[in-house]
Amino acid sequence: MTLLIGFGLVALLGIFHHFALLGLRRVTADAKERPNRAIISVFIGLLVIHLAEILFFAGAYRVLLDWPWMGQLNEMGTRWSGLIYFSGINFTTLGYTQIEAAGPIRLVNMMQSLGGFMILTWSATFIYSVWKKALDGL
């Protein structure tokens, strides 16, 4: 059950990221004419998008931790700042944190790391394509 919850959250993450990138693509349609603006817009846009995705998972953890059967995080992971930190560490696939997960919620953590890896590589490919388009215009 927990693995399905993690899968569903990562699926939502991918859907959100897809539409966010479509929005960024519209913003940078003139990359050849305004290369600096396009590259900076994509960088800042991806920063905002990734932060929103980290906050989404932090909120999901908050909800999931209200279900006793999901497991728990140690005391540092019960505050909102701890949840954001925990989510960000998982999203960036660093994995090491002072916040320990116990119980089935660890499967959601694992799925977030997988999703974060996929999203970050997708974003890297996207920013590279905008950068290439912008430089081809020079």
Side-chain angles (χ1 to χ4, degrees), residues 2-17 49-65 70 73 77 79-80 82-92 105-117 119:
T2 309
L3 193 57
L4 285 174
I5 291 170
F7 182 90
L9 290 170
V10 172
L12 288 173
L13 176 71
I15 292 166
F16 171 79
H17 199 76
I49 291 166
H50 291 163
L51 180 58
E53 293 164 346
I54 289 167
L55 292 173
F56 165 72
F57 262 90
Y61 288 129
R62 178 68 270 144
V63 170
L64 293 173
L65 289 169
M70 282 299 287
L73 301 177
R79 296 183 297 270
W80 183 241
L83 290 170
I84 294 169
Y85 170 74
F86 184 69
S87 177
I89 293 298
N90 283 313
F91 184 83
T92 58
I105 200 163
R106 292 177 302 153
L107 294 175
V108 176
N109 304 147
M110 184 263 311
M111 289 301 295
Q112 184 190 13
S113 292
L114 173 62
F117 175 75
I119 293 299

Coordinates of all heavy atoms in Angstrom, one line a residue, residues 2-17 49-65 70 73 77 79-80 82-92 105-117 119:
T2 N 1.9 1.3 0.8 CA 2.8 2.5 0.9 C 3.5 2.7 -0.4 O 3.7 3.8 -0.8 CB 3.8 2.3 2.1 OG1 3.1 1.9 3.3 CG2 4.5 3.6 2.4
L3 N 3.9 1.6 -1.0 CA 4.6 1.8 -2.3 C 3.7 2.4 -3.3 O 4.1 3.2 -4.1 CB 5.1 0.4 -2.8 CG 6.1 0.4 -3.9 CD1 7.3 1.3 -3.6 CD2 6.5 -1.0 -4.3
L4 N 2.4 2.0 -3.3 CA 1.4 2.6 -4.2 C 1.2 4.1 -3.9 O 1.1 4.9 -4.9 CB 0.1 1.9 -4.2 CG 0.1 0.5 -4.8 CD1 -1.3 -0.2 -4.6 CD2 0.3 0.7 -6.3
I5 N 1.2 4.5 -2.7 CA 1.1 5.9 -2.3 C 2.3 6.7 -2.8 O 2.2 7.7 -3.4 CB 1.0 6.1 -0.8 CG1 -0.3 5.5 -0.3 CG2 1.2 7.5 -0.4 CD1 -0.5 5.4 1.2
G6 N 3.5 6.1 -2.6 CA 4.7 6.7 -3.2 C 4.7 6.8 -4.7 O 5.0 7.9 -5.3
F7 N 4.2 5.8 -5.3 CA 4.1 5.8 -6.8 C 3.2 6.9 -7.3 O 3.5 7.6 -8.2 CB 3.6 4.4 -7.3 CG 3.5 4.3 -8.8 CD1 4.6 3.9 -9.5 CD2 2.4 4.7 -9.5 CE1 4.5 3.8 -10.9 CE2 2.3 4.6 -10.8 CZ 3.4 4.2 -11.6
G8 N 2.0 7.0 -6.6 CA 1.0 8.0 -6.9 C 1.6 9.4 -6.7 O 1.4 10.3 -7.6
L9 N 2.3 9.6 -5.6 CA 2.9 11.0 -5.4 C 4.0 11.3 -6.5 O 4.0 12.4 -7.0 CB 3.6 11.0 -4.0 CG 2.6 11.0 -2.8 CD1 3.3 10.8 -1.5 CD2 1.8 12.3 -2.8
V10 N 4.8 10.3 -6.9 CA 5.8 10.6 -7.9 C 5.1 10.8 -9.3 O 5.5 11.6 -10.1 CB 6.8 9.4 -8.0 CG1 7.7 9.6 -9.2 CG2 7.6 9.4 -6.7
A11 N 4.0 10.1 -9.5 CA 3.2 10.3 -10.8 C 2.7 11.8 -10.8 O 2.8 12.4 -11.8 CB 2.1 9.3 -10.9
L12 N 2.1 12.2 -9.7 CA 1.7 13.6 -9.6 C 2.8 14.6 -9.8 O 2.7 15.6 -10.5 CB 1.0 13.9 -8.3 CG -0.4 13.2 -8.1 CD1 -0.9 13.4 -6.6 CD2 -1.4 13.8 -9.1
L13 N 4.0 14.3 -9.2 CA 5.2 15.1 -9.4 C 5.5 15.2 -10.9 O 5.8 16.3 -11.4 CB 6.3 14.4 -8.6 CG 7.7 15.1 -8.7 CD1 7.7 16.4 -8.0 CD2 8.7 14.1 -8.2
G14 N 5.5 14.1 -11.6 CA 5.9 14.1 -13.0 C 4.9 14.9 -13.8 O 5.3 15.6 -14.8
I15 N 3.6 14.7 -13.5 CA 2.6 15.5 -14.3 C 2.7 17.0 -14.0 O 2.7 17.8 -15.0 CB 1.1 15.0 -13.8 CG1 0.9 13.6 -14.3 CG2 0.1 16.0 -14.3 CD1 -0.3 12.9 -13.7
F16 N 2.9 17.4 -12.8 CA 3.1 18.8 -12.5 C 4.4 19.3 -13.2 O 4.3 20.4 -13.8 CB 3.3 19.0 -10.9 CG 3.7 20.4 -10.6 CD1 2.8 21.4 -10.5 CD2 5.1 20.7 -10.3 CE1 3.2 22.7 -10.2 CE2 5.5 22.0 -9.9 CZ 4.5 23.0 -9.9
H17 N 5.5 18.5 -13.2 CA 6.7 19.0 -13.8 C 6.5 19.1 -15.3 O 7.1 20.1 -15.9 CB 7.8 18.0 -13.4 CG 9.2 18.6 -13.6 ND1 9.8 19.4 -12.8 CD2 10.1 18.4 -14.6 CE1 11.0 19.8 -13.2 NE2 11.2 19.1 -14.3
I49 N 10.1 25.9 -9.4 CA 9.4 24.6 -9.7 C 9.9 23.5 -8.7 O 9.1 22.9 -8.0 CB 9.5 24.2 -11.1 CG1 8.8 25.1 -12.0 CG2 9.1 22.7 -11.3 CD1 9.1 24.9 -13.5
H50 N 11.2 23.4 -8.6 CA 11.7 22.4 -7.7 C 11.4 22.7 -6.2 O 11.1 21.7 -5.4 CB 13.2 22.2 -7.8 CG 13.6 21.7 -9.2 ND1 14.9 21.8 -9.7 CD2 12.9 21.0 -10.1 CE1 14.9 21.1 -10.8 NE2 13.7 20.7 -11.1
L51 N 11.4 23.9 -5.8 CA 11.0 24.3 -4.5 C 9.5 23.9 -4.2 O 9.2 23.3 -3.2 CB 11.2 25.7 -4.2 CG 10.8 26.2 -2.8 CD1 11.6 25.4 -1.7 CD2 11.0 27.7 -2.6
A52 N 8.7 24.2 -5.2 CA 7.2 23.8 -5.1 C 7.1 22.3 -5.0 O 6.3 21.8 -4.2 CB 6.4 24.3 -6.3
E53 N 7.9 21.5 -5.7 CA 7.8 20.1 -5.6 C 8.3 19.5 -4.3 O 7.7 18.6 -3.7 CB 8.7 19.5 -6.8 CG 8.0 19.8 -8.2 CD 8.9 19.6 -9.4 OE1 10.2 19.5 -9.2 OE2 8.4 19.6 -10.5
I54 N 9.3 20.2 -3.7 CA 9.8 19.8 -2.4 C 8.8 20.1 -1.4 O 8.5 19.2 -0.5 CB 11.2 20.5 -2.1 CG1 12.3 19.9 -3.0 CG2 11.5 20.4 -0.6 CD1 13.6 20.7 -3.0
L55 N 8.1 21.2 -1.5 CA 7.1 21.6 -0.5 C 5.9 20.6 -0.7 O 5.2 20.3 0.3 CB 6.6 23.0 -0.8 CG 7.7 24.1 -0.4 CD1 7.2 25.5 -0.8 CD2 8.0 24.1 1.1
F56 N 5.6 20.2 -1.9 CA 4.5 19.3 -2.1 C 4.7 18.0 -1.3 O 3.9 17.5 -0.6 CB 4.3 19.0 -3.6 CG 3.5 17.8 -3.9 CD1 2.1 17.8 -3.7 CD2 4.1 16.6 -4.4 CE1 1.4 16.7 -4.0 CE2 3.3 15.5 -4.7 CZ 2.0 15.5 -4.5
F57 N 5.9 17.5 -1.4 CA 6.3 16.2 -0.7 C 6.3 16.5 0.8 O 5.9 15.6 1.6 CB 7.6 15.6 -1.2 CG 7.3 14.5 -2.2 CD1 7.3 14.8 -3.5 CD2 7.2 13.2 -1.7 CE1 7.0 13.7 -4.4 CE2 6.9 12.2 -2.6 CZ 6.9 12.4 -4.0
A58 N 6.8 17.6 1.3 CA 6.8 17.9 2.7 C 5.3 17.9 3.2 O 5.1 17.4 4.3 CB 7.4 19.3 3.0
G59 N 4.4 18.5 2.4 CA 3.0 18.4 2.8 C 2.5 17.0 2.8 O 1.7 16.7 3.7
A60 N 2.9 16.2 1.9 CA 2.4 14.8 1.8 C 2.9 14.1 3.0 O 2.2 13.3 3.7 CB 2.9 14.2 0.5
Y61 N 4.2 14.3 3.4 CA 4.7 13.7 4.6 C 3.9 14.1 5.9 O 3.6 13.3 6.7 CB 6.2 14.0 4.9 CG 7.1 13.3 3.9 CD1 8.1 14.1 3.2 CD2 7.1 12.0 3.7 CE1 8.9 13.5 2.3 CE2 7.9 11.3 2.8 CZ 8.8 12.1 2.1 OH 9.7 11.5 1.2
R62 N 3.6 15.4 5.9 CA 2.8 15.8 7.1 C 1.5 15.1 7.2 O 1.1 14.6 8.3 CB 2.5 17.4 6.9 CG 1.7 18.0 8.0 CD 2.3 18.1 9.3 NE 2.0 16.9 10.1 CZ 2.8 16.3 11.0 NH1 4.0 16.7 11.2 NH2 2.4 15.2 11.6
V63 N 0.8 14.9 6.1 CA -0.5 14.1 6.0 C -0.2 12.7 6.4 O -1.0 12.1 7.2 CB -1.2 14.3 4.7 CG1 -2.4 13.3 4.5 CG2 -1.6 15.7 4.4
L64 N 0.7 12.1 5.8 CA 1.0 10.6 6.0 C 1.4 10.3 7.4 O 1.1 9.3 7.9 CB 2.1 10.2 5.0 CG 1.7 10.1 3.5 CD1 2.9 9.8 2.7 CD2 0.6 9.2 3.3
L65 N 2.1 11.2 8.0 CA 2.5 11.0 9.4 C 1.3 11.0 10.4 O 1.5 10.6 11.5 CB 3.6 12.0 9.8 CG 5.0 11.8 9.2 CD1 5.9 13.0 9.4 CD2 5.6 10.5 9.6
M70 N 1.7 4.4 9.2 CA 2.7 4.8 8.2 C 4.1 4.8 8.7 O 5.1 4.8 8.0 CB 2.4 6.2 7.6 CG 1.3 6.2 6.6 SD 1.6 5.2 5.1 CE 2.9 6.2 4.3
L73 N 8.9 9.8 11.8 CA 10.2 10.4 11.6 C 10.6 10.8 13.1 O 9.7 11.0 13.9 CB 10.1 11.7 10.8 CG 9.6 11.5 9.3 CD1 9.5 12.8 8.6 CD2 10.5 10.5 8.6
G77 N 11.9 15.7 12.5 CA 11.1 15.6 11.3 C 9.6 15.9 11.6 O 8.8 15.8 10.7
R79 N 8.5 18.9 12.8 CA 8.3 20.3 12.6 C 8.2 20.6 11.1 O 8.8 19.9 10.3 CB 9.3 21.2 13.2 CG 9.4 21.1 14.7 CD 10.4 22.0 15.4 NE 11.8 21.6 15.0 CZ 12.5 20.8 15.6 NH1 12.1 20.2 16.7 NH2 13.8 20.6 15.2
W80 N 7.6 21.7 10.6 CA 7.4 22.0 9.2 C 8.8 22.2 8.6 O 9.1 21.7 7.5 CB 6.6 23.2 9.1 CG 6.3 23.6 7.6 CD1 6.6 24.8 7.0 CD2 5.7 22.8 6.6 NE1 6.3 24.7 5.7 CE2 5.7 23.6 5.4 CE3 5.2 21.5 6.5 CZ2 5.2 23.1 4.2 CZ3 4.6 21.0 5.3 CH2 4.6 21.8 4.2
G82 N 11.6 20.8 9.5 CA 12.2 19.5 9.4 C 11.7 18.7 8.2 O 12.4 18.0 7.5
L83 N 10.4 18.9 8.0 CA 9.7 18.1 6.9 C 10.2 18.7 5.5 O 10.5 17.9 4.6 CB 8.2 18.3 6.9 CG 7.5 17.5 8.1 CD1 6.1 17.9 8.2 CD2 7.7 16.0 7.9
I84 N 10.4 20.0 5.4 CA 10.9 20.6 4.2 C 12.4 20.1 4.0 O 12.8 19.7 2.9 CB 10.9 22.1 4.3 CG1 9.4 22.6 4.3 CG2 11.6 22.8 3.1 CD1 9.2 24.1 4.6
Y85 N 13.2 20.1 5.0 CA 14.6 19.7 5.0 C 14.6 18.2 4.5 O 15.3 17.8 3.6 CB 15.2 19.9 6.3 CG 16.6 19.2 6.4 CD1 17.7 19.8 5.8 CD2 16.8 18.1 7.2 CE1 19.0 19.2 5.9 CE2 18.0 17.5 7.3 CZ 19.1 18.0 6.7 OH 20.3 17.4 6.8
F86 N 13.8 17.4 5.2 CA 13.8 15.9 4.9 C 13.4 15.7 3.4 O 14.0 14.9 2.7 CB 12.8 15.3 5.8 CG 12.7 13.8 5.7 CD1 13.8 13.0 6.1 CD2 11.6 13.2 5.2 CE1 13.7 11.6 6.0 CE2 11.5 11.8 5.1 CZ 12.6 11.0 5.5
S87 N 12.3 16.4 3.0 CA 11.9 16.3 1.6 C 12.9 16.8 0.6 O 13.2 16.1 -0.4 CB 10.6 17.1 1.4 OG 10.2 17.1 0.1
G88 N 13.6 17.9 0.9 CA 14.6 18.4 0.0 C 15.8 17.4 -0.1 O 16.4 17.2 -1.2
I89 N 16.2 16.8 1.0 CA 17.3 15.9 1.0 C 16.9 14.7 0.2 O 17.7 14.1 -0.6 CB 17.7 15.5 2.4 CG1 18.3 16.7 3.2 CG2 18.7 14.3 2.4 CD1 19.6 17.2 2.6
N90 N 15.7 14.2 0.3 CA 15.3 13.0 -0.5 C 15.1 13.4 -1.9 O 15.5 12.6 -2.8 CB 13.9 12.5 0.1 CG 14.1 11.7 1.3 OD1 15.0 10.8 1.4 ND2 13.3 12.0 2.3
F91 N 14.6 14.6 -2.2 CA 14.4 15.0 -3.6 C 15.7 15.1 -4.4 O 15.7 14.7 -5.5 CB 13.6 16.4 -3.6 CG 13.3 16.9 -4.9 CD1 12.1 16.4 -5.6 CD2 14.1 17.8 -5.6 CE1 11.8 16.9 -6.8 CE2 13.7 18.3 -6.9 CZ 12.6 17.8 -7.5
T92 N 16.7 15.6 -3.7 CA 18.0 15.7 -4.4 C 18.8 14.5 -4.3 O 20.0 14.5 -4.8 CB 18.8 16.9 -3.8 OG1 19.0 16.6 -2.4 CG2 18.1 18.2 -4.0
I105 N 6.7 4.4 5.9 CA 6.9 5.7 5.2 C 8.3 5.7 4.5 O 8.5 6.5 3.6 CB 6.8 6.8 6.2 CG1 6.5 8.1 5.4 CG2 8.0 6.9 7.1 CD1 5.9 9.2 6.3
R106 N 9.2 4.8 4.9 CA 10.5 4.7 4.2 C 10.3 4.4 2.7 O 11.1 4.9 1.9 CB 11.4 3.7 4.9 CG 11.8 4.1 6.3 CD 12.6 3.0 6.9 NE 11.8 1.8 7.0 CZ 12.3 0.6 7.0 NH1 13.6 0.4 7.0 NH2 11.5 -0.5 7.0
L107 N 9.3 3.7 2.3 CA 9.0 3.4 0.9 C 8.6 4.7 0.2 O 9.0 4.9 -1.0 CB 8.0 2.4 0.7 CG 8.4 1.0 1.2 CD1 7.2 0.0 1.1 CD2 9.6 0.5 0.5
V108 N 7.9 5.6 0.8 CA 7.6 6.9 0.2 C 8.9 7.7 0.0 O 9.1 8.3 -1.0 CB 6.6 7.7 1.0 CG1 6.3 9.0 0.5 CG2 5.3 6.9 1.2
N109 N 9.8 7.7 1.0 CA 11.1 8.3 0.9 C 11.9 7.8 -0.3 O 12.4 8.6 -1.1 CB 11.9 8.1 2.1 CG 11.3 8.5 3.4 OD1 11.5 7.9 4.5 ND2 10.5 9.6 3.4
M110 N 11.9 6.5 -0.4 CA 12.6 5.9 -1.6 C 12.0 6.3 -2.9 O 12.7 6.7 -3.8 CB 12.5 4.4 -1.4 CG 13.3 3.6 -2.5 SD 12.4 3.0 -3.9 CE 11.0 2.2 -3.2
M111 N 10.7 6.3 -3.0 CA 10.0 6.8 -4.2 C 10.3 8.2 -4.5 O 10.5 8.6 -5.7 CB 8.5 6.5 -4.2 CG 8.2 5.0 -4.2 SD 8.8 4.2 -5.7 CE 7.8 5.0 -7.0
Q112 N 10.3 9.1 -3.5 CA 10.6 10.5 -3.7 C 12.0 10.6 -4.2 O 12.3 11.5 -5.1 CB 10.5 11.3 -2.4 CG 10.7 12.8 -2.7 CD 10.8 13.7 -1.5 OE1 10.9 13.2 -0.4 NE2 10.7 15.0 -1.8
S113 N 13.0 9.9 -3.7 CA 14.3 9.9 -4.3 C 14.4 9.5 -5.7 O 15.1 10.2 -6.5 CB 15.3 9.1 -3.4 OG 15.4 9.6 -2.2
L114 N 13.7 8.5 -6.1 CA 13.6 8.1 -7.5 C 13.0 9.2 -8.3 O 13.5 9.5 -9.4 CB 12.8 6.8 -7.6 CG 12.5 6.3 -9.0 CD1 13.8 6.0 -9.8 CD2 11.6 5.1 -9.0
G115 N 11.9 9.7 -7.9 CA 11.2 10.8 -8.6 C 12.1 12.0 -8.7 O 12.1 12.7 -9.7
G116 N 12.7 12.4 -7.6 CA 13.6 13.5 -7.6 C 14.8 13.4 -8.6 O 15.1 14.3 -9.4
F117 N 15.3 12.2 -8.7 CA 16.4 11.9 -9.6 C 15.9 12.1 -11.1 O 16.5 12.7 -11.9 CB 16.9 10.5 -9.4 CG 18.0 10.1 -10.5 CD1 19.2 10.6 -10.4 CD2 17.6 9.2 -11.5 CE1 20.2 10.2 -11.4 CE2 18.5 8.9 -12.5 CZ 19.8 9.4 -12.4
I119 N 13.3 13.8 -12.1 CA 12.9 15.2 -12.3 C 14.1 16.1 -12.5 O 14.2 16.9 -13.4 CB 12.0 15.8 -11.1 CG1 10.7 15.1 -11.1 CG2 11.9 17.3 -11.2 CD1 9.8 15.3 -12.3

